[in-house]
Amino acid sequence: MCDPAILRTFASVKIEKVQTDKEIETPVVVIGAGLTGLTTAYWLSRKGVGVHIVETDTRIGGQIQTNHKNDYIFETGPTTGSVSTPEVAELMNDLAITSGGKCVLETAPDSSKRRLIWKGDRFHDLPSGPLGGLTTPLFRWTDKLRILGEPWRRKGTDPDESVGSLARRRLGKSFVDYAVDPFVSGVYAGNPDTLITRYALPKLYNLEQNYGSFIRGSIAKMKEPKTERDRLATKKVFSAQGGLSHIPQAEADHIGEENFSLGVSKVRVEPVDSGWQTSFLSADGQQGVIRSRFVVTTCGAYNLPALLPFIDEQRMEAISSLRYAPVMEVNVGMPDTFGGDYIAFGGLVPTVEQRRILGILFPSACFTQRAPKGGVLFSFFIGGMRRSEMLDLPDEEIERLVTDCLHEMLKFPLEAKPDFIHISRHQKAIPQYGIDSGRRLEAVASLESQYQGLILGGNLRDGIGMAHRITQATNIANEIIKTHNR
């Protein structure tokens, strides 16, 4: 059922004119044409600061990739973002203008706020209020009663406490098993007992540290006065109309194809007297050299040793040893709902339930035109840190697994057949902010302090979500603009 001839991919922009001039001069070089790199370059370009993007792939967008299959629109990378920072709203508002309406923010309806958690033989609604919290079968009664004392529980003293340990201490084991664990699987595809709270979920960590309690902290945060800019962060789930790839497409269109070098190899960055020199080979083997005042890296941590050979082994190892969760994304189009209720953001599967999937998202419940009329689109997620071996299974076995889940978990009748199944494998999908994070961040800060004009960005720091990437990129661009204009 897996169709190898999936139709065209948005944001697979192949810029035919790869720069191969002997030497280019520009204020800023950005390494990587993913969301972080493109957003950094977009804002620099908007402020009139020259920028050139170097990318080893022949397409832009990084992990973001929107596909069409008949009347379905599906993602094979990130599926959604959250308008959790003002920078997201500001970027999307600006892109709507500069793209002439080709890139427009789409937020999910309130009906899709519903979250499901698998327990036993079916999905249950994750409680969204006190009454649901009391009646749900997801949590034990002892923990439901125990949570009443959460505001008075002593705060932790271990700055490197894991997400799992913190949540067990404050909320109880069943809350970890059926709320925290599946949440961590859905966001990080990771293990709550190896992710360090202050790096992986800093807002949660700060609630306890600053207010002494999750509950007290949440109430206090709601009462804090908000500026007009603060209110832009609506927390709504978002995409772009027609798919996420319209975002990098619109950014690239504004930056201009003459400011890209795609499909290059042997990229090296070296400090020189006047700033930085970036060298590479084009697809036809020609040497390219770019001199700049700033270099911004936005690629994966595992790419940095070859990219930055001048960095000492100890600090480079602290950065490049970052682990990434492998994730398989399987999109399934169903022509009919067969009476099923799939109006929700999706369903997550706790580790204790010992299923072979991490969860299922329902994109067609969140955004328009993702499935034909009467149909539904699902995105299955498989693998992660605990089941990395799943990515080695052949397509045929994955198709059987997903088909079984359609019938057993989503309750489709046996006669229901998918329109298509599309499998995407990402061996280094999501960075894991574990116990080594402090050492990595210290190394990054040390290098940026030592080497003026070098900025190490990307998801090796500052968060993994789309909002984190956009916010980091905006901050990087703003800092460069301030320095450039001095």
Side-chain angles (χ1 to χ4, degrees), residues 258-314:
E258 69 278 8
N259 297 312
F260 283 83
S261 291
L262 302 185
V264 303
S265 61
K266 297 186 178 179
V267 184
R268 299 288 185 275
V269 174
E270 297 279 2
V272 293
D273 291 340
S274 56
W276 295 93
Q277 176 176 292
T278 302
S279 61
F280 56 86
L281 289 181
S282 67
D284 58 5
Q286 296 186 55
Q287 181 76 44
V289 176
I290 310 173
R291 291 184 178 271
S292 62
R293 182 179 176 187
F294 301 92
V295 170
V296 181
T297 70
T298 66
C299 52
Y302 45 86
N303 289 317
L304 293 180
L307 179 67
L308 306 173
F310 61 91
I311 293 179
D312 60 276
E313 184 177 345
Q314 183 176 359

Side-chain angles (χ1 to χ4, degrees), residues 161-184:
E161 187 173 19
S162 72
V163 174
S165 172
L166 172 62
R168 268 188 293 273
R169 179 169 54 77
R170 298 208 69 86
L171 304 175
K173 185 177 184 300
S174 65
F175 278 90
V176 173
D177 288 345
Y178 286 95
V180 176
D181 172 89
F183 171 78
V184 167

Side-chain angles (χ1 to χ4, degrees), residues 130-148:
L131 180 60
L134 288 173
T135 59
T136 181
L138 292 174
F139 312 128
R140 295 183 303 201
W141 268 106
T142 52
D143 286 338
K144 292 177 185 178
L145 294 174
R146 188 173 182 274
I147 202 171
L148 296 175

Side-chain angles (χ1 to χ4, degrees), residues 97-113:
I97 296 169
T98 60
S99 71
K102 294 178 182 178
C103 180
V104 179
L105 178 73
E106 181 176 8
T107 56
D110 288 344
S111 59
S112 68
K113 289 181 178 179

